[in-house]
Amino acid sequence: MSDEAAPGRRTGGTETVDTDGRTTVVTGRVDTAPTTVGSARSAVPTGGVALHVKGRILAGPEDVRDELWVVGGRITYDRPATVRDVRTVTGWVLPGLVDAHCHVGLDPHGPVPAEIAEKQALTDRDVGALLLRDAGSPTDTRWVDDRADLPKIIRAGRHIARTRRYIRNYAHEIEPPELVAYVAREARRGDGWVKLVGDWIDRGVGDLTACWPRDVVEAAIAEAHRLGARVTAHCFAEDSLRDLVEAGIDCIEHATGLTEETIPLFAERGVAIVPTLINIATFPDLARGAESKFPRWSDHMRQLHERRYATVRAAYDAGIPIYTGTDAGGGLAHGLLVSEVIELVRAGLPVVSALNAATWGARDWLGRPALDEGAPADLVVYEEDPRVEVRTLADPQHVVLNGRVVG
C-alpha cells in the first residue's frame, strides 16, 4: 500500500492485504508521524484511497448500521465505485467524543506556549475527544484550525469575571457597567459562545456569592444573543442560578447549586448543564486547604460535593440536557473525558444517556454533525460495545480524524 494509504508509523498489531492486492485490513494500531506546531499538512485521504469501517456503526442511540466508507475525509454510507485501494477497520464505532468544557492553551497559572497547547490537544485526541468546546481561555489557539491532525475547537473567548473574583491571569476582570461591552467583544472573538463567571468566593462574605446584578446580566445575555452567540456561566453555588436562567442564559457549567426550586426552571427553559464531575471531586481538597481562612466557604463546598451525584441525577430525571466536560487545562490534566462519562453513570444516568452526553447529543447541541452522510469522518473504533460496558471507552482501537487513522 502507498504512503498515502498508510501514513506514519505502526506501533503494534498486524496489517494484511487481501489476495486481490486491493484491500488492506488493519488489525492493530497506527500512529501518524509527529508534526510541528502550526503545520497545515492535510490529513484527508487522496489518490483514490478509501477507508472502510465495518462492524457496528452507532450512528445514533437507536441507529445502528453495518458499515460506512470514508472518501476525501468524509463519511458516506454508499460504497464508492471509483476508489482503487480500500483500507478496512472493524469494531464498534462512535462519533468522535466531545469534551464540552475544557481549556486548550491554559494551565493553573495562565496562558501556555503553543507547544504546550499542542500537547494538550493531542492528549485529548488520543482518547477520542475530537470536538472540544473551549470554555474560556486567554490564549489564541486559532492556529489549531489549520491542523487537520488536531481536534476541532469551538471557542468561548476569554472568561469574563468580576475584579479579583476569579483565578489570576485567566479572565477579563471588570465591573458590572463594563459587562455588556465585554460580552460583545468576546461574542465577536469566539465561535458562538461567551463565558461568564457567575459566582465566586466573596472574601468579605467568606462564601460563594453571585457576581453580577440581574439587570446587567440580562442586558449582557441579550447582547450576546443579538450577535448570534450563546452564553454559559461558571456557577458552583445556588444563589446566582435563578437570575441567570431567567435572564436567558443557555448553559451552566458545574451546576452543583441546583435545587428542587431551580431544577424545574432549568427544565422549562431548556438550559443545559455541563457537570464536570471529575472537577467537583476536588472540592474536599479545596475545602481542607481553605478551612482556617474561609470556614463557611469550605463547609459549603463540602455540601455541594456530597450531593453532586443526587444533583445530576435529579437534573437528568427532570429532562435537563446534560453534556460531558472535564474542565481540563485549569487544575486538571487533559485526556480525562472517559472518566467524566463514567462519573455520569455513577451519578445514575443510563449508559446510553451518558454516551449521548459525550457523542450524538453533544454534537447536535454544538451544531456539529456526528456520523452523518457527508460529515467529516471523525470517529472512534472500539473492540467491544460501549453501550454494554462504558469503560470500553478507555481503550479505543482506532481514532479517525478527518478521515485518517491517527491513533
Side-chain angles (χ1 to χ4, degrees):
M1 186 169 64
S2 68
D3 288 341
E4 265 186 327
R9 62 184 185 279
R10 175 156 298 282
T11 59
T14 61
E15 185 173 90
T16 60
V17 180
D18 287 355
T19 54
D20 63 4
R22 296 174 60 191
T23 302
T24 302
V25 180
V26 179
T27 58
R29 298 179 64 88
V30 176
D31 294 332
T32 57
T35 58
T36 58
V37 171
S39 168
R41 188 178 66 184
S42 173
V44 176
T46 58
V49 178
L51 181 68
H52 184 200
V53 184
K54 58 189 294 189
R56 305 302 287 162
I57 313 301
L58 305 177
E62 299 178 356
D63 182 0
V64 183
R65 310 185 192 189
D66 294 328
E67 57 189 350
L68 62 78
W69 286 264
V70 179
V71 181
R74 295 191 174 266
I75 291 169
T76 180
Y77 289 94
D78 297 321
R79 182 179 181 88
T82 59
V83 295
R84 298 185 304 277
D85 296 317
V86 179
R87 183 180 183 188
T88 302
V89 297
T90 303
W92 296 83
V93 181
L94 283 173
L97 307 183
V98 178
D99 188 338
H101 183 136
C102 67
H103 308 276
V104 175
L106 190 66
D107 74 5
H109 307 290
V112 299
E115 58 268 23
I116 302 300
E118 179 192 38
K119 290 178 182 178
Q120 293 173 338
L122 287 169
T123 299
D124 287 327
R125 183 200 75 179
D126 290 347
V127 301
L130 305 184
L131 179 61
L132 314 176
R133 186 182 60 144
D134 193 322
S137 176
T139 305
D140 182 0
T141 59
R142 290 288 173 190
W143 58 269
V144 172
D145 296 346
D146 297 325
R147 288 280 297 273
D149 62 326
L150 295 180
K152 297 172 175 70
I153 299 181
I154 297 172
R155 299 167 185 82
R158 189 173 186 175
H159 305 76
I160 304 173
R162 284 291 292 273
T163 308
R164 299 186 64 190
R165 289 192 62 191
Y166 199 51
I167 303 168
R168 188 178 298 175
N169 300 322
Y170 276 31
H172 296 298
E173 296 189 21
I174 63 169
E175 289 304 296
E178 303 172 277
L179 183 61
V180 172
Y182 271 83
V183 163
R185 170 179 170 176
E186 295 308 303
R188 294 185 177 101
R189 291 181 63 238
D191 298 319
W193 284 92
V194 175
K195 170 73 174 293
L196 306 179
V197 176
D199 66 23
W200 197 252
I201 188 169
D202 183 329
R203 289 166 176 80
V205 175
D207 199 2
L208 298 162
T209 63
C211 290
W212 310 104
R214 165 68 176 267
D215 61 333
V216 172
V217 80
E218 213 168 59
I221 291 172
E223 178 66 3
H225 289 170
R226 185 185 72 81
L227 294 170
R230 289 186 277 181
V231 182
T232 191
H234 160 105
C235 293
F236 284 159
E238 298 86 352
D239 63 353
S240 66
L241 295 181
R242 180 170 292 278
D243 280 354
L244 288 168
V245 172
E246 291 182 346
I249 204 160
D250 303 282
C251 179
I252 295 292
E253 312 299 316
H254 317 301
T256 41
L258 281 170
T259 65
E260 292 180 356
E261 289 71 37
T262 51
I263 283 173
L265 180 63
F266 273 65
E268 176 189 342
R269 302 291 182 95
V271 177
I273 65 170
V274 182
T276 66
L277 284 167
I278 60 171
N279 179 29
I280 307 312
T282 69
F283 280 15
D285 288 339
L286 296 174
R288 276 191 296 272
E291 183 74 53
S292 60
K293 192 172 183 179
F294 299 112
R296 181 176 169 187
W297 177 86
S298 295
D299 184 59
H300 195 176
M301 294 291 276
R302 288 192 191 96
Q303 292 176 32
L304 295 171
H305 174 263
E306 288 169 3
R307 69 177 196 246
R308 68 197 187 284
Y309 290 151
T311 298
V312 171
R313 180 58 199 238
Y316 172 78
D317 288 343
I320 294 173
I322 298 173
Y323 304 107
T324 50
T326 63
D327 210 357
L332 294 175
H334 284 260
L336 298 176
L337 183 62
V338 175
S339 296
E340 182 65 19
V341 180
I342 292 170
E343 279 289 279
L344 289 181
V345 175
R346 286 177 179 153
L349 271 67
V351 171
V352 172
S353 296
L355 291 176
N356 186 63
T359 56
W360 317 287
R363 285 178 167 272
D364 182 62
W365 177 58
L366 293 172
R368 299 298 175 92
L371 300 177
D372 305 322
E373 180 74 29
D378 297 343
L379 55 93
V380 193
V381 184
Y382 302 94
E383 187 174 2
E384 299 177 356
D385 187 352
R387 299 171 304 173
V388 174
E389 175 49 71
V390 69
R391 288 175 177 81
T392 297
L393 296 179
D395 187 25
Q397 299 303 295
H398 304 290
V399 177
V400 178
L401 179 60
N402 291 312
R404 299 300 288 267
V405 179
V406 295

